[in-house]
Amino acid sequence: MTDLLITNARLVDPEGDCVRPGALLVRNGVITEVFDTPSPDISLDLVPSQHRRDAGNRFVAPGIVDIGVKVCEPGERHKESFGSAGMAAAAGGVTTIVTRPDTLPAIDTPEVLEFIRRRANEAAPVKVLPMAALTKGRQGREMTEIGFLMDAGAVAFTDCDHVVSDTRVLSRAMSYARSLGALVISHPQDPGLSRGGAVTSGKFATLRGLPGVTPMAERMGLDRDIALVEMTGVRYHADQITTSRALPALERAKNNGFDVTAGTSMHHLTLNELDVSDYRTFFKVKPPLRSEEDRQAVIAAVNAGLIDVICSMHTPQDEESKRLPYEEAASGAVGLETLMPVMLRLYHSGDLTLPGLFRAMSLNPSRRLGLDSGRLARGAPGDLVLFDADKPMILDRFKLNSKSKNTPFDGARLQGRVLETFVDGLSVYRSL
Amino acid sequence: MRFDQRHLLGIEPLRPDEITTLLDLSEKYVTLNRQRDKRAGTLSGLTQINMFFENSTRTQASFELAGKRMGADVMNMSMQASSIKKGETLIDTAMTLNAMHPDLLVVRHPHSGAVDLLAQKVNCAVINAGDGRHEHPTQALLDALTIRRAKGRLHRLSIAICGDIAHSRVARSNIMLLGKMENRIRLVGPATLMPAGIAEFGCEVFEDMNEGLKDVDVVMMLRLQKERMDGGFIPSEREYFHRYGLDAQKLSRAKADAIVMHPGPMNRGVEIDGTLADDINRSVIQEQVEMGVAVRMAVMDLLARNLRARPKEVLV
């Protein structure tokens, strides 16, 4: 908790949907004043010079809230720890990470969750909010102790990419979660159709001889989930919507007034199936990369507010699990540190505005989780990112802070760089 | 006459003139193979390793014979039985073999793309002997040679590829090759065995075999890949034979001089009638096997020439 004064900034305000020149004052970790003048007159007694930053007319935005980050503790700490994930987050302008429970063992008891919270507080420089499994061991058979887990600090419940195939189990878990007001996050995929798929079915899959999964599996998964939402009234979030075919179902659910939101990943917004090229396993993610038409449709859905949240789907994998034939290789890519520069591609290409981008990366995820952050307003926490949207760089995966270096953007030319990240007004990362 | 490839990983990267070069050279080896003395010293001093991660009798034998006739030192490794079982990764296996300085590596693997992956890690020339459902280039080349010899040309023919297209690397390589050489390709099979997006490859797709075979010059049957099926693609073998098995009645729809091909091994009575397969007037199945050795000799010959033309790389 500390004081901070940022002057000469261009403030990216997702609430007001604008970018305007101004300054910010943070006291005791909370934003206390937003100025319309670039250099307000604040005495040095109030904020000493070491707590002052001149942004030099660069951007200040609310820190990113990344839903669905995998930190491999417990179980696979060699892939990612709270320390390394926290550093990566800070370097990427992510001030809150919302962790996934698909660890070894799964985070499905208050005791394991307690361990996570303790480790996170010790090791990570950013805020960490854990999610817990919806069913024990993510096996889809019995619901977890949702109440105890909420008391212990779980912000949402998800079985991640293990789809609960038994609809009776899922409907009970959802009903119970509804009675406690818990948020359920689901991976909309029909389990039968998507079994064994490594890429999206179509010409490319056939050309490469890889087992494909039809995009229809996503729509069927979403349709099923929405029917259960209608039945139970649970608060529901689809982790990743990546195909155009699923969008009408999502739109209908929202128009019907169900408490439904949806996310998508940075990879599905910026890459397509052809990027897999000659079996490049760093491009293997779950669900698989889609066609260019789907990518365009998903961008349009983010712009229209139909898709609420953009996340990194940060999934660390070691080199060994990726240096395998494509079908056998592990899925997932790291993204905490690259989320912002990669998403700025869509800003530079004119597909998304800066306020629109931070609405999907900061404001909407905060709101969905009932957090105060994601805003540049009085009373919001001093979770901020100061960045240069134009600075060019060539990404070198070995310079990432994550223990795992499995990014599909190695060698990519990106524009935009985090200069400094603040959590509760305290600087947690400063670029050299 | 040019052939600019370092490896033969598939038909996809080949130019039409490279395919013609390969087939022309194969003809010479066909002649050689029919002589009493079949030796050629082309690969003398070179080491050829056949690495088969998947069962094979005919392809492995064909490559082994091709290498031996050209004077290479040939070693066969059946990888199902060896270090893979001990948990060694594909890349480690490749690096280990690479350290033994082979010149030609012939690889078959059950996963698509595995041979490409391996080729990135070794210094020698790699030949894809079949990877998953991706490609089986030497099979397509030997099919092309067989067609060219039977029909006198390899363009503007109407060719029906029938059966399990979805699980077949032979089909993919053939579609690629015959398309590059400007033939009309028809694909015949049940919808469950047709891969997604196949119409975008410039093929005509038929679900009725009688229609699909109408007036074609070549009928290419595929094996029903039982081992690659994770269940439930067809109701039963007898229904499959009734609707998609090649018999005299269905063949009568094709041109009177149409030839019948099969990459082997055949499931008699499942995709092809046994009598028809043995009919020497229609079936070129035995000739396909013969062409296989010649084509593989030509492939290794050309790759070895390119290998010798390159300065020896230092191991990294």
Side-chain angles (χ1 to χ4, degrees):
Chain A
M1 296 289 171
T2 185
D3 297 343
L4 172 71
L5 177 67
I6 303 179
T7 55
N8 271 323
R10 277 187 282 170
L11 305 176
V12 180
D13 179 3
E15 270 186 316
D17 197 22
C18 63
V19 178
R20 59 174 196 276
L24 272 177
L25 178 65
V26 176
R27 303 211 62 187
N28 290 323
V30 177
I31 299 175
T32 53
E33 207 69 60
V34 183
F35 304 95
D36 288 332
T37 47
S39 5
D41 190 22
I42 307 280
S43 81
L44 277 171
D45 297 339
L46 198 63
V47 183
S49 58
Q50 72 267 29
H51 290 152
R52 287 170 179 250
R53 298 286 187 275
D54 184 337
N57 205 31
R58 285 181 289 245
F59 296 102
V60 172
I64 297 166
V65 177
D66 195 359
I67 299 183
V69 172
K70 178 155 180 189
V71 178
C72 307
E73 284 189 61
E76 295 173 301
R77 214 158 117 184
H78 67 286
K79 291 186 180 178
E80 192 82 290
S81 68
F82 278 102
S84 59
M87 288 301 296
V94 177
T95 49
T96 302
I97 56 180
V98 182
T99 59
R100 301 208 309 252
D102 53 345
T103 46
L104 295 172
I107 299 165
D108 58 358
T109 62
E111 290 76 13
V112 185
L113 197 81
E114 198 60 50
F115 163 80
I116 297 299
R117 286 179 58 100
R118 204 175 53 244
R119 278 286 304 143
N121 281 332
E122 279 169 16
V126 300
K127 296 174 181 171
V128 177
L129 299 173
M131 296 192 284
L134 183 65
T135 66
K136 286 175 187 161
R138 299 196 299 133
Q139 307 241 333
R141 285 199 280 271
E142 294 167 79
M143 71 177 92
T144 51
E145 294 170 310
I146 295 174
F148 277 158
L149 284 160
M150 283 179 85
D151 293 345
V155 294
F157 294 84
T158 178
D159 275 358
C160 303
D161 60 341
H162 284 192
V163 178
V164 181
S165 53
D166 187 333
T167 43
R168 185 189 296 249
V169 171
L170 185 57
S171 70
R172 283 179 186 155
M174 280 181 163
S175 292
Y176 194 83
R178 201 264 314 143
S179 69
L180 294 171
L183 176 68
V184 169
I185 299 185
S186 166
H187 182 71
Q189 284 291 321
D190 181 77
L193 270 181
S194 59
R195 195 188 314 132
V199 288
T200 303
S201 67
K203 187 182 177 191
F204 178 78
T206 298
L207 192 64
R208 287 287 174 269
L210 291 169
V213 48
T214 164
M216 204 57 93
E218 181 171 293
R219 177 179 131 190
M220 287 174 66
L222 186 65
D223 273 336
R224 180 199 75 158
D225 286 0
I226 288 171
L228 290 168
V229 170
E230 184 174 350
M231 193 173 122
T232 60
V234 72
R235 297 172 60 218
Y236 175 90
H237 177 76
D239 65 348
Q240 297 175 79
I241 294 296
T242 60
T243 61
S244 61
R245 283 224 173 92
L247 296 172
L250 181 63
E251 195 170 8
R252 262 197 315 278
K254 287 191 164 188
N255 289 343
N256 285 342
F258 302 144
D259 195 351
V260 168
T261 52
T264 194
S265 89
M266 61 190 263
H267 303 110
H268 294 93
L269 286 169
T270 55
L271 304 169
N272 69 29
E273 57 183 349
L274 300 181
D275 285 303
V276 170
S277 182
D278 289 326
Y279 305 99
R280 296 195 286 172
T281 56
F282 278 18
F283 289 79
K284 185 175 182 183
V285 293
K286 218 173 183 180
L289 293 174
R290 306 301 193 181
S291 68
E292 178 60 14
E293 295 79 60
D294 280 333
R295 187 183 79 91
Q296 298 285 353
V298 172
I299 292 174
V302 171
N303 255 328
L306 182 57
I307 289 179
D308 310 86
V309 171
I310 297 172
C311 64
S312 72
M313 259 311 136
H314 183 82
T315 306
Q317 298 289 2
D318 53 21
E319 301 285 307
E320 281 65 42
S321 52
K322 284 285 188 184
R323 281 175 40 159
L324 290 170
Y326 198 86
E327 275 175 69
E328 289 190 319
S331 296
V334 292
L336 274 172
E337 206 168 335
T338 48
L339 174 60
M340 197 174 90
V342 167
M343 289 318 302
L344 283 174
R345 272 189 174 177
L346 295 185
Y347 159 66
H348 291 298
S349 64
D351 287 308
L352 289 173
T353 62
L354 280 180
L357 198 51
F358 281 90
R359 188 182 326 120
M361 295 197 299
S362 307
L363 179 63
N364 287 344
S366 298
R367 281 188 176 158
R368 194 55 173 146
L369 298 171
L371 308 175
D372 237 2
S373 53
R375 305 175 298 138
L376 293 186
R378 223 185 270 186
D383 297 349
L384 303 166
V385 53
L386 168 62
F387 66 98
D388 181 336
D390 298 315
K391 195 169 180 177
M393 64 158 170
I394 295 175
L395 189 83
D396 176 358
R397 68 188 184 107
F398 293 106
K399 292 198 173 134
L400 294 176
N401 284 286
S402 281
K403 284 189 183 177
S404 295
K405 313 293 183 191
N406 55 311
T407 171
F409 296 101
D410 185 37
R413 285 160 200 278
L414 300 171
Q415 244 181 301
R417 198 153 200 181
V418 175
L419 300 174
E420 192 161 8
T421 306
F422 304 91
V423 173
D424 290 331
L426 186 73
S427 174
V428 292
Y429 168 83
R430 197 166 187 180
S431 117
L432 299 171
Chain B
M1 185 182 118
R2 282 184 64 182
F3 187 78
D4 299 325
Q5 307 289 328
R6 180 178 168 181
H7 308 294
L8 182 72
L9 300 177
I11 297 295
E12 200 189 350
L14 299 184
R15 297 188 310 265
D17 68 291
E18 290 177 315
I19 294 171
T20 306
T21 300
L22 258 166
L23 298 183
D24 289 347
L25 184 62
S26 304
E27 292 283 5
K28 292 184 186 155
Y29 284 111
V30 174
T31 315
L32 178 76
N33 284 337
R34 287 181 177 178
Q35 289 168 8
R36 188 66 64 203
D37 184 353
K38 303 176 183 63
R39 279 173 303 176
T42 333
L43 299 186
S44 157
L46 301 187
T47 305
Q48 171 193 342
I49 299 183
N50 299 334
M51 260 169 104
F52 281 67
F53 293 89
E54 199 181 68
N55 267 327
S56 163
T57 312
R58 56 186 64 217
T59 307
Q60 186 170 350
S62 183
F63 269 110
E64 184 177 355
L65 202 56
K68 282 182 171 160
R69 284 187 181 161
M70 294 200 292
D73 294 316
V74 186
M75 184 167 86
N76 284 315
M77 299 186 70
S78 171
M79 301 306 295
Q80 296 140 320
S82 76
S83 45
I84 292 298
K85 289 254 164 71
K86 297 177 196 157
E88 190 175 67
T89 67
L90 177 64
I91 288 178
D92 286 336
T93 309
M95 298 305 282
T96 306
L97 283 181
N98 195 42
M100 300 178 195
H101 298 286
D103 303 287
L104 294 155
L105 203 55
V106 179
V107 187
R108 168 171 288 191
H109 197 282
H111 288 302
S112 305
V115 183
D116 292 51
L117 178 68
L118 204 142
Q120 293 162 19
K121 307 288 171 189
V122 295
N123 308 74
C124 57
V126 176
I127 300 166
N128 183 357
D131 63 327
R133 325 168 170 183
H134 179 220
E135 284 230 45
H136 190 355
T138 55
Q139 179 70 43
L141 288 163
L142 74 89
D143 288 342
L145 185 60
T146 311
I147 295 171
R148 197 172 80 166
R149 287 169 63 95
K151 293 284 155 197
R153 65 176 199 271
L154 190 60
H155 58 273
R156 301 177 77 180
L157 293 167
S158 184
I159 297 162
I161 304 177
C162 311
D164 183 3
I165 314 282
H167 299 93
S168 175
R169 52 192 173 216
V170 176
R172 278 177 186 63
S173 288
N174 266 314
I175 291 167
M176 213 76 76
L177 190 151
L178 296 169
K180 278 179 201 266
M181 305 313 277
E182 303 189 357
N183 296 283
R184 287 187 70 168
I185 305 168
R186 297 169 163 210
L187 302 177
V188 182
T192 46
L193 295 176
M194 275 302 158
I198 195 71
E200 291 172 54
F201 286 74
C203 309
E204 289 175 89
V205 178
F206 292 87
E207 286 174 9
D208 181 338
M209 195 163 184
N210 285 314
E211 243 174 78
L213 294 193
K214 194 158 181 288
D215 295 330
V216 297
D217 299 291
V218 177
V219 181
M220 202 180 266
M221 298 307 298
L222 295 171
R223 201 164 83 84
L224 196 61
Q225 304 260 338
K226 292 185 209 165
E227 73 272 18
R228 242 183 276 285
M229 293 220 181
D230 49 9
F233 287 88
I234 52 164
S236 72
E237 285 182 5
R238 61 180 190 177
E239 179 162 332
Y240 183 78
F241 183 69
H242 177 68
R243 290 173 54 81
Y244 296 103
L246 187 67
D247 54 21
Q249 185 266 323
K250 292 196 191 91
L251 184 61
S252 69
R253 308 277 298 171
K255 280 192 184 151
D257 62 347
I259 55 169
V260 174
M261 306 177 74
H262 194 296
M266 280 181 280
N267 299 310
R268 287 172 187 260
V270 178
E271 70 256 352
I272 189 163
D273 177 67
T275 333
L276 198 57
D278 299 331
D279 180 353
I280 50 164
N281 295 316
R282 306 305 294 270
S283 160
V284 292
I285 295 171
Q286 292 305 314
E287 177 153 348
Q288 283 176 277
V289 178
E290 182 191 352
M291 293 308 119
V293 180
V295 156
R296 285 166 184 131
M297 290 169 86
V299 166
M300 290 197 284
D301 182 352
L302 288 173
L303 289 177
R305 289 186 207 184
N306 289 350
L307 199 66
R308 287 187 161 124
R310 246 189 17 245
K312 183 115 176 87
E313 284 167 43
V314 185
L315 270 182
V316 277

